[in-house]
Amino acid sequence: MSSVDREGVEMFLQEASEHLQYLREYVSVLQEAEPRHEDLERLYIAAHTLSGTSASYGFPRFSEIAGKLAHVFQYSLNAPLGSDLHGPLTEFLSDGISLLENDLLEISDTAKENLEDIAAFKERYRFAFPTEPPPLNYSQPESGGQFGAEAREESAAAAATGSYFDALPADDEVPDEILEFFQPEAEEHLQIVSDCLISLEGNNNSEEINKLFRAIHTVKGSAAQVGLKRLGGIAHRVEDLIGRLRDGEIEPSPAVVDLCLEAVDVLKKTLHRQWADEAEMRTGIDSLLGRIAEFAPMDADEAETPAEEGVAAEEQRVSDADTLANATTPAKKAPKQAASAASTAKSVRIALARLDRMMNTVGELVINRTRMVGRVAELEKLVDTLSFSKERLQGKVGEFQEKYEFNRISNSRASQGPWKPAQTTQMLTSAAAGESSFWSEFSELEMDRYDDFNILSRSMAEISADVNEVLSQLEGFIGRVEGDIDEFTKLAHHLQDEITAARMVPIGTLYSRLSRAVRDAAKSTGKLVELDLSGSETELDNNIIQQISDPLVHLVRNSVAHGIEHSNDRATAGKSAAGNITVRAYHRGNHIYIEVEDDGRGIDYERVKQSAIERGLVSAETADRLTERDLREMLFHPGFTTAPVKTELSGRGVGLDVVRANLNALNGEIDIQSTSGQGTKFTLKVPLTLIISPALFVRCGTTNFALPLAVVEEIRRLRADEIEDVGGKLLTKVRDVVTEVVRLDTYLGLPPLEPINGYFRMVVANAGNRQIGLVVEDVLGKDEIVIKNLGEYLRRVKLFPGTTIAPDGSLILLIDLNRMVATEPSERRALQASSSAARIFAPGSTAVARGTIPSEAIDRVEQERVIVVADDSISVRKFVGRMLEKNGYRVKLAADGMEAAELVSQHGCHLVITDLEMPRMTGYELMVQLRQNPSTRRIPVLVVTSRAGAKHRDRAMKEGASSFLTKPVQEDQLIAVVEQLIGTEAARPVVPVA
């Protein structure tokens, strides 16, 4: 890109950033009941300007999305948007602005658009991008044949005149299951190519060149084998270039390394089919192969040989070369080949989805272990109760023995009278002691005498001993069960660790991308930068690796752009000419820490303060009171930058806010440390895995909640008078730090909490890089939890990212504290268009937006009628639905009465058509429910059933049916009844209704 073009793009980036900021701040005026015409016009001008300037600078996808936003604002100037604006259309506008902001970031970084995100956006909001029918072709077949022949002749001519793309062979039909296995393998080899190229630039090592050649040769051969012949042809030419490197014909100069790295990018885009269209692919591949031809000209014989034969011949040549190499150095090559063969024999490729299922099974084990611990806790309570009862029993037995058994003789002696059976309970005697003379022969000291009290006392003593024995055995049993649970816990944790390890990949896989980013950034800025990478063996979950790759690239590019000085400035400061950036990763506890540190100029706090004042974030008086920590926090503000001039790397005002947003989505954190003149260090903290994590359980009223333990700093008591209301915010001091207090009962609308003995329980946590105090009723403890998804119906409940299962089977919601202090972008998923949202993008809407459609037509569009069709037969639902759609009604389909009731309550309708016999909720029950709700009582219900008897008809009319038809129903009969019930002013359908 020339200097003139670069300056133009920088101007575009600055202007686009300002327009997007305006759209973000003022798009909410559309939600007002009567928005001002001037506000809508300014919104339209901003979006329209974005669309035009981006197209002129060569960013068509950006222009298309901005054009859709401009269309909405222009439409709103000339026609009402409808009552259901707050559904898909509001999300479309918000997500569209976010997409443009992210795309602007990508354009700033790479001068290319984020095609993947734009495609996902268009897929989600399909109603805004209706497929246009192909134009009718009225030409004669002969003309078409002549045109096709001419096109083929032009293609052949292009190939004959030097178009490298046309000379490549076409791909075969490759099944998806083949691509599923080939793409990861090719990615691994291309990663090896990138690593070797980066290491070659600093050290010309023949071993690295051989490794590089083998990797690209494998890509070429494998691609040709599976049928990706075009990819194999490109790799074949790259292999020619690397072959000249191996043979010493050319040196690995920066220009050659740049060309090879560009070839890797082209191969990856071709592998994953990421080209926007064939024209872009043709341009990119022609440019690459043309530059390769400058270093490695194609032989005439090779050019005339078909691609398949060339690939086969090249494979044979490499095979012969490898055989010769093995023959010359057998001692060195054989052990490596043996080790490689052994490694291959012991490895197997497992789909990540299967590992996810295995990890979910481990999660179920953890849940069952928690349930078993709960059962043991119940047993321990029973043991405590039994122990208490045993103590009481022993005490009563002791009292009874002392009172009645041991005092019997002494009382008898004190009376000095003969033994009088009448004064005591009758003695129990045996048959051997049946004669009274038996007792007369012995005195009381010579023979014990037993009555009922003696027997009862001894029986109670024996029962007490038995209870004591059972209690001892029960305690021993609980001890053994606890030991078994401990062993089960160890096994579950071991299994969890093993499966987690299978999902782990070393962070070193990211390091080559970071090296490439630093190299390109240093080249762009003209700075000398050395990159030091450590901890490459540190392993992370594959999903987390993918989500932190972009934040890390942002940080290292930020270090080059903002941190590292130019060589002459470093020499003046007494530093080495080359700046140093260090990336280190290490494991601590359940988290991975990644540090990005540079030895540059550090953060200029005065410049940060001045930028904040210029952007209106703070006043001059407030800025003077800001601490260094507050100023570092400013760097994460959207749109904030300290760069005086906007370039491809800096001055865009985007980057660090995106880094924090990505980390918050992972329950991670980012911290900044900086010393002026010495450098800056960013520390990222991310969890090892996102499936099983430790949590703190709290109670608020009768409801239990879970908090991520990673963000909890301490638990403390708080007096009610220590909480101050300042400007509507509750504040307190925790270790001399002003902390915002969030009362969970007030936040969630629960019954108010009362202080216990004058104190609240407060959980101090770090959320959104600031300290908050969460007031709860009680803290229950901590444990590992398995986070379960809330499901499709609760996907919009952003505060609760998931739930876990308690030992008693109840659900405990997990609270995301980061979402309490910051909002998150909407999910990307396809939405069903509401009538107003779809109408804005319907055919003819452009004319409505320009004001060329009469108002009568617009009013007529608003008279759309919505009908809910409930039937357990899918064929009947579709058949009746098509009848209604063909006649201009909008249809929502339900498989039973319950689903129909949900549709009516959530979206409303003008008519319900229902069958009588359906699962879960019958037609009769549906009508009863509709009549009981005041908001749905007036909706007419048409019964369409195969039950033609008078009994069914009378019951339906009694329950509130407005009309009754018998299957099979005819179209004219059905439409006549519908028009009679809800009128004839129905609009033509704007989009097919699913």
Side-chain angles (χ1 to χ4, degrees), residues 83-295:
S83 60
D84 54 352
L85 169 68
H86 302 286
L89 186 61
T90 302
E91 293 191 19
F92 170 78
L93 293 173
S94 177
D95 287 358
I97 296 173
S98 299
L99 175 67
L100 292 180
E101 291 170 343
N102 292 331
D103 196 37
L104 192 66
L105 168 64
E106 189 69 21
I107 292 172
S108 304
D109 285 344
T110 64
K112 297 178 182 179
E113 298 188 75
N114 195 333
L115 301 179
E116 183 179 352
D117 287 354
I118 293 175
F121 177 82
K122 295 173 70 173
E123 177 65 20
R124 183 185 184 200
Y125 297 102
R126 289 192 292 266
F127 63 84
F129 301 90
T131 304
E132 298 181 1
L136 296 177
N137 184 8
Y138 296 103
S139 59
Q140 296 298 326
E142 292 79 10
S143 301
Q146 292 175 2
F147 177 80
E150 292 175 0
R152 287 191 294 272
E153 290 174 2
E154 289 178 4
S155 176
T161 55
S163 174
Y164 297 101
F165 177 82
D166 292 329
L168 294 174
D171 290 339
D172 296 339
E173 290 293 332
V174 183
D176 291 339
E177 57 270 18
I178 299 297
L179 284 177
E180 182 180 352
F181 289 99
F182 172 71
Q183 286 177 341
E185 179 187 0
E187 275 284 355
E188 293 175 6
H189 291 296
L190 291 175
Q191 187 65 48
I192 294 173
V193 171
S194 298
D195 295 342
C196 292
L197 287 170
I198 292 174
S199 63
L200 270 181
E201 192 172 25
N203 182 19
N204 189 355
N205 188 344
S206 60
E207 182 61 32
E208 289 291 330
I209 294 179
N210 289 331
K211 183 178 179 182
L212 174 64
F213 187 85
R214 288 194 296 270
I216 195 66
H217 170 69
T218 303
V219 172
K220 179 202 69 174
S222 301
Q225 184 68 32
V226 301
L228 297 176
K229 297 181 180 179
R230 180 174 293 155
L231 180 69
I234 301 171
H236 176 55
R237 292 296 294 136
V238 179
E239 184 187 27
D240 289 342
L241 176 61
I242 297 174
R244 292 176 67 88
L245 275 176
R246 184 183 63 171
D247 298 337
E249 298 179 17
I250 56 176
E251 292 295 324
S253 62
V256 173
V257 173
D258 282 342
L259 181 57
C260 292
L261 288 173
E262 181 184 341
V264 171
D265 294 339
V266 170
L267 288 171
K268 286 183 178 180
K269 292 186 71 173
T270 307
L271 172 66
H272 296 287
R273 300 173 179 176
Q274 295 174 340
W275 298 101
D277 49 39
E278 185 172 343
E280 181 183 349
M281 179 168 59
R282 177 189 299 273
T283 303
I285 293 177
D286 270 339
S287 174
L288 172 69
L289 297 183
R291 294 171 60 193
I292 289 177
E294 296 177 5
F295 292 94

Side-chain angles (χ1 to χ4, degrees), residues 669-869:
E669 303 172 12
I670 182 172
D671 180 62
I672 306 178
Q673 299 174 7
S674 181
T675 304
S676 181
Q678 297 182 16
T680 305
K681 179 168 73 173
F682 293 86
T683 303
L684 281 64
K685 176 185 175 184
V686 294
L688 276 173
T689 181
L690 299 176
I691 298 178
I692 298 178
S693 60
L696 179 73
F697 296 100
V698 299
R699 181 169 56 84
C700 191
T702 59
T703 309
N704 295 339
F705 298 96
L707 306 175
L709 193 61
V711 302
V712 175
E713 295 184 350
E714 62 176 304
I715 302 167
R716 59 187 299 149
R717 295 194 306 169
L718 182 71
R719 292 198 309 272
D721 57 7
E722 293 178 337
I723 304 176
E724 298 182 10
D725 191 339
V726 180
K729 282 189 176 182
L730 300 179
L731 301 176
T732 188
K733 276 194 173 183
V734 178
R735 305 186 189 280
D736 295 329
V737 177
V738 177
T739 303
E740 181 181 352
V741 177
V742 179
R743 291 193 50 156
L744 191 59
D745 56 339
T746 305
Y747 193 89
L748 298 179
L750 299 174
L753 300 178
E754 296 295 334
I756 301 175
N757 297 327
Y759 286 93
F760 288 109
R761 292 287 181 91
M762 185 173 73
V763 178
V764 182
N766 187 355
N769 273 28
R770 61 191 177 99
Q771 187 170 278
I772 67 168
L774 191 67
V775 174
V776 298
E777 184 172 351
D778 194 11
V779 178
L780 305 178
K782 66 176 183 177
D783 199 357
E784 285 190 336
I785 64 171
V786 178
I787 302 175
K788 296 288 187 179
N789 197 311
L790 288 177
E792 183 72 13
Y793 293 106
L794 299 178
R795 69 182 188 276
R796 297 187 184 277
V797 185
K798 300 295 186 182
L799 181 63
F800 305 112
T803 183
T804 188
I805 301 176
D808 60 357
S810 61
L811 297 181
I812 299 177
L813 291 172
L814 177 68
I815 298 177
D816 188 348
L817 296 180
N818 287 320
R819 294 186 187 273
M820 280 188 170
V821 297
T823 58
E824 185 189 57
S826 302
E827 297 173 340
R828 292 182 177 181
R829 55 179 294 107
L831 297 181
Q832 181 178 350
S834 64
S835 59
S836 294
R839 184 168 62 245
I840 292 177
F841 299 99
S845 60
T846 303
V848 175
R850 293 173 179 171
T852 58
I853 294 292
S855 59
E856 294 80 8
I858 300 174
D859 293 337
R860 183 184 172 196
V861 170
E862 289 185 324
Q863 300 294 324
E864 188 175 36
R865 293 289 189 256
V866 180
I867 300 176
V868 173
V869 178

Side-chain angles (χ1 to χ4, degrees), residues 573-753:
K575 300 180 181 180
S576 60
N580 184 265
I581 297 177
T582 302
V583 180
R584 62 180 69 91
Y586 54 90
H587 178 210
R588 183 179 296 170
N590 289 324
H591 290 82
I592 295 294
Y593 290 80
I594 305 170
E595 297 177 353
V596 180
E597 184 176 7
D598 64 72
D599 64 347
R601 62 173 62 93
I603 296 176
D604 188 343
Y605 291 108
E606 286 301 322
R607 182 179 292 179
V608 173
K609 186 185 302 183
Q610 190 63 33
S611 297
I613 296 173
E614 291 174 357
R615 294 178 178 275
L617 299 179
V618 293
S619 62
E621 295 77 11
T622 306
D624 293 333
R625 297 193 299 269
L626 293 178
T627 64
E628 290 187 355
R629 179 178 180 181
D630 296 330
L631 292 174
R632 288 196 297 268
E633 195 66 23
M634 285 287 179
L635 300 177
F636 293 100
H637 193 279
F640 189 87
T641 181
T642 59
V645 180
K646 295 181 182 293
T647 65
E648 292 183 2
L649 292 178
S650 62
R652 304 175 306 276
V654 286
L656 287 182
D657 57 325
V658 177
V659 172
R660 171 175 281 183
N662 287 2
L663 289 175
N664 286 343
L666 295 172
N667 290 328
E669 303 172 12
I670 182 172
D671 180 62
I672 306 178
Q673 299 174 7
S674 181
T675 304
S676 181
Q678 297 182 16
T680 305
K681 179 168 73 173
F682 293 86
T683 303
L684 281 64
K685 176 185 175 184
V686 294
L688 276 173
T689 181
L690 299 176
I691 298 178
I692 298 178
S693 60
L696 179 73
F697 296 100
V698 299
R699 181 169 56 84
C700 191
T702 59
T703 309
N704 295 339
F705 298 96
L707 306 175
L709 193 61
V711 302
V712 175
E713 295 184 350
E714 62 176 304
I715 302 167
R716 59 187 299 149
R717 295 194 306 169
L718 182 71
R719 292 198 309 272
D721 57 7
E722 293 178 337
I723 304 176
E724 298 182 10
D725 191 339
V726 180
K729 282 189 176 182
L730 300 179
L731 301 176
T732 188
K733 276 194 173 183
V734 178
R735 305 186 189 280
D736 295 329
V737 177
V738 177
T739 303
E740 181 181 352
V741 177
V742 179
R743 291 193 50 156
L744 191 59
D745 56 339
T746 305
Y747 193 89
L748 298 179
L750 299 174
L753 300 178

